[in-house]
Amino acid sequence: MNELNDDDIPAKVKAIFTEYLKKHNLRKTPERYVILDTVYSIDGHFDVETLYNKVNGSKYRICRATLYNTIELLLDCNLIIEHAFGKRKSQYEHSYKCKQHGHFVDLGSGEVTEYSDSRIQQIQKSVEEALGVEISYHSLTFYGYKKRNNI
Amino acid sequence: MNELNDDDIPAKVKAIFTEYLKKHNLRKTPERYVILDTVYSIDGHFDVETLYNKVNGSKYRICRATLYNTIELLLDCNLIIEHAFGKRKSQYEHSYKCKQHGHFVDLGSGEVTEYSDSRIQQIQKSVEEALGVEISYHSLTFYGYKKRNNI
DNA sequence: ATCTCTGCAAAGGATTTGCATTGCC
DNA sequence: GGCAATGCAAATCCTTTGCAGAGAT
């Protein structure tokens, strides 16, 4: 019964990350794994400041520079994706075994809502063929306003 | 023959902008119109730095603060849209009478390619209904890598 | 004449960078 | 033990803000 089931996400992402680090001759520092764990413990989007606070709630003290460094690696091995809803700070979310989804940003409040639509996958395939590229991930964001409650 | 045809974009966007300024009791300064003209003279995306250089090639000297100020207005009256491909600086493009399109960002070079796909409009309509919102515009961006030239 | 908008310069906030030290390999 | 990664702090880049003077209404 050592097989990993679909719920053993933490172990799987750790394995992917380790593989990546090994392949690129990067060091397996505890900080990197703490960050990975923390990222996968967060549900939904987060910015660097949020991650910084979460991470430093644990016994480790990890500075922002290391956070940015590690985020770069996690992006590179597709364990997280990056969004830039507002202009200033980036938002991230873990992406392993997560179905791709889009976002709606309320221009009034800045609030972000998720939704999903499978048709986007078809578009992605078309784009790959049309442009001759390999797509790692996408970001589909609608901007607009919530309708006032009826009447 | 005073009718405006579809090619008279500059006049039309100027009219829209004027209407907007009037409605909001804002002043019709020459700077604002120079910026609008310049924005509509640029084909494709541009960042503030590019706009700054273009604008200051003309006889006017317009500072960055004014650019940011005016961009805010143009966004508000839907004459331009904003993208945030990279994390640092925003990119813009004029949007009047332009068919909506998506972007592909090459993670290798940062190069941005446009494409269009009508299916996105259907998704947009679905999202409006599902979330009960009114969508002003969207941003669909695929990230990935160009395939090496075959063989 | 009034009061908004401009230009300038300084402030602000997110991210990056340089460097001494730590600690993984 | 060697060298990459960390933490710290300063630097950088884009954007915002404050303020005095210019100019639209």
Side-chain angles (χ1 to χ4, degrees), chain B residues 87-104:
Chain B
K87 51 196 85 187
R88 293 302 275 266
K89 55 191 171 186
S90 293
Q91 307 241 65
Y92 304 88
E93 62 187 325
H94 57 249
S95 53
Y96 178 73
K97 284 275 166 118
C98 296
K99 68 168 177 286
Q100 289 258 45
H101 57 267
H103 299 91
F104 169 77

Side-chain angles (χ1 to χ4, degrees), chain A residues 88-106:
Chain A
R88 293 301 275 266
K89 55 189 171 187
S90 294
Q91 308 240 66
Y92 305 87
E93 62 187 324
H94 57 249
S95 53
Y96 178 73
K97 284 275 167 121
C98 296
K99 68 167 175 288
Q100 289 258 46
H101 57 267
H103 299 91
F104 169 77
V105 177
D106 183 1

Side-chain angles (χ1 to χ4, degrees), chain A residues 14 17-18 21 26-39 55 58-63 66-67 70 73-74:
Chain A
K14 229 164 286 188
F17 195 34
T18 300
L21 294 174
L26 299 167
R27 293 185 178 168
K28 297 182 267 303
T29 68
E31 288 84 358
R32 287 176 173 164
Y33 286 98
V34 169
I35 293 169
L36 176 62
D37 273 345
T38 309
V39 161
V55 159
S58 70
K59 63 186 171 190
Y60 283 96
R61 271 221 79 277
I62 300 180
C63 72
T66 301
L67 243 39
T70 303
L73 304 180
L74 293 175

Side-chain angles (χ1 to χ4, degrees), chain B residues 44-55:
Chain B
H45 329 99
F46 59 90
D47 56 26
V48 173
E49 197 56 25
T50 306
L51 183 58
Y52 180 81
N53 291 329
K54 284 257 185 192
V55 158

Side-chain angles (χ1 to χ4, degrees), chain A residues 26-83:
Chain A
L26 299 167
R27 293 185 178 168
K28 297 182 267 303
T29 68
E31 288 84 358
R32 287 176 173 164
Y33 286 98
V34 169
I35 293 169
L36 176 62
D37 273 345
T38 309
V39 161
Y40 270 80
S41 78
I42 298 176
D43 215 36
H45 329 101
F46 59 90
D47 56 26
V48 173
E49 196 56 25
T50 306
L51 183 58
Y52 181 81
N53 291 330
K54 284 257 187 193
V55 159
N56 288 303
S58 70
K59 63 186 171 190
Y60 283 96
R61 271 221 79 277
I62 300 180
C63 72
R64 287 182 180 74
T66 301
L67 243 39
Y68 282 107
N69 174 345
T70 303
I71 283 174
E72 211 56 47
L73 304 180
L74 293 175
L75 283 170
D76 198 36
C77 55
N78 295 313
L79 287 174
I80 62 175
I81 64 175
E82 181 177 42
H83 298 285

Side-chain angles (χ1 to χ4, degrees), chain B residues 71-115:
Chain B
I71 283 174
E72 210 56 47
L73 303 180
L74 293 176
L75 282 171
D76 197 37
C77 55
N78 294 313
L79 286 174
I80 62 175
I81 63 175
E82 181 177 43
H83 298 286
F85 301 129
K87 51 196 85 187
R88 293 302 275 266
K89 55 191 171 186
S90 293
Q91 307 241 65
Y92 304 88
E93 62 187 325
H94 57 249
S95 53
Y96 178 73
K97 284 275 166 118
C98 296
K99 68 168 177 286
Q100 289 258 45
H101 57 267
H103 299 91
F104 169 77
V105 177
D106 182 3
L107 292 171
S109 66
E111 188 191 344
V112 178
T113 312
E114 292 185 7
Y115 69 86

